[in-house]
Amino acid sequence: MLSLSDLLDRIAPQVLPAGTRLQERGQSEPNTIYLIAGQVSVGLWQADRWVHRQGCLQAPDWVDLSAALLDGQVCFDAVADTEIEIKTMSLAHFRLWLLDQPSGVQGMLRSLARQQRDWAETTLSRLAMDAHARCAQWLLHQAEPTGATCRVQLTLRKRQIAEHLGMAPETLSRILRDWREQGLILGRGRTLSLVDPSRLRSLTQPT
């Protein structure tokens, strides 16, 4: 079984200048990046400036493993604060290594990645998305496929969901009512069916 350090030893390092944008929020299938030297900030970057700086990563560290461990979607921007030295590998390469690890290790890493993703998206979505987009994103993340549609089982009260999404309960109720009238969702109470997940997904994309 190849260790992660042995895998990294096989990759040539790169040196990049300060200001390099390493990944972009919403990007799909990014390279997996290991920071050897320097500092990288993560958060919400728009128009060549930070709208919200979520935190800083100091070498040695991984820039973002949640995309590699979960669905291949980047949830925050990453920009080099200083000159940095990194090693990168494709998502496919990293996942081949991951499949060779014990199932318990895989499960632990994915659990940590989900916690990081939830924390980052809760904060950044309030800054980057309007109420409709935040609600659509949350429903899609909760959804379980059921054929052509998806089902969401609501385990929280409406007030708790609204607090999580950073909106008033009345706003959440109005959005769900509008979507029922538009035929995007069906159902009331604890179970909702997402009739048109692709259209809901389009609401989460920047315009």
Side-chain angles (χ1 to χ4, degrees):
M1 183 184 299
L2 187 66
S3 71
L4 193 52
S5 60
D6 289 338
L7 181 62
L8 286 168
D9 284 343
R10 300 180 178 186
I11 302 172
Q14 301 171 260
V15 176
L16 300 172
T20 299
R21 192 172 185 178
L22 298 175
Q23 66 180 34
E24 184 176 349
R25 178 175 165 83
Q27 177 184 351
S28 297
E29 301 294 310
N31 285 332
T32 304
I33 302 171
Y34 183 71
L35 182 64
I36 302 170
Q39 176 178 296
V40 171
S41 283
V42 297
L44 181 61
W45 176 270
Q46 291 178 350
D48 296 325
R49 67 180 183 85
W50 287 112
V51 175
H52 174 75
R53 193 191 303 261
Q54 186 110 347
C56 296
L57 304 174
Q58 299 279 354
D61 204 351
W62 294 91
V63 172
D64 177 19
L65 283 180
S66 64
L69 292 165
L70 300 176
D71 56 5
Q73 297 291 319
V74 172
C75 67
F76 50 71
D77 298 295
V79 179
D81 293 325
T82 65
E83 180 179 86
I84 59 172
E85 185 177 0
I86 63 171
K87 290 188 176 184
T88 65
M89 70 182 83
S90 70
L91 224 55
H93 197 179
F94 178 85
R95 285 172 174 168
L96 282 175
W97 171 84
L98 184 65
L99 288 173
D100 198 35
Q101 307 309 305
S103 59
V105 172
Q106 294 183 43
M108 180 184 67
L109 289 173
R110 290 193 173 100
S111 177
L112 290 171
R114 279 191 292 271
Q115 292 175 30
Q116 181 200 34
R117 170 72 60 83
D118 289 346
W119 165 72
E121 287 191 341
T122 298
T123 302
L124 296 181
S125 66
R126 294 184 183 187
L127 297 164
M129 296 179 174
D130 63 17
H132 284 76
R134 296 200 301 273
C135 186
Q137 182 184 69
W138 187 85
L139 287 175
L140 290 165
H141 284 173
Q142 305 300 314
E144 300 175 359
T146 54
T149 63
C150 295
R151 181 183 62 194
V152 176
Q153 193 69 36
L154 302 179
T155 59
L156 299 175
R157 295 181 180 276
K158 188 176 294 184
R159 175 183 55 78
Q160 294 172 309
I161 297 172
E163 288 175 352
H164 177 76
L165 296 175
M167 64 182 70
E170 295 79 11
T171 302
L172 176 61
S173 295
R174 176 176 53 78
I175 291 171
L176 295 179
R177 183 177 66 250
D178 290 346
W179 287 349
R180 288 190 187 95
E181 293 174 354
Q182 296 170 31
L184 293 177
I185 64 173
L186 292 174
R188 298 178 185 276
R190 293 289 186 179
T191 303
L192 298 176
S193 293
L194 310 187
V195 179
D196 194 346
S198 61
R199 188 172 168 194
L200 285 175
R201 192 170 292 110
S202 71
L203 296 176
T204 70
Q205 303 302 312
T207 56

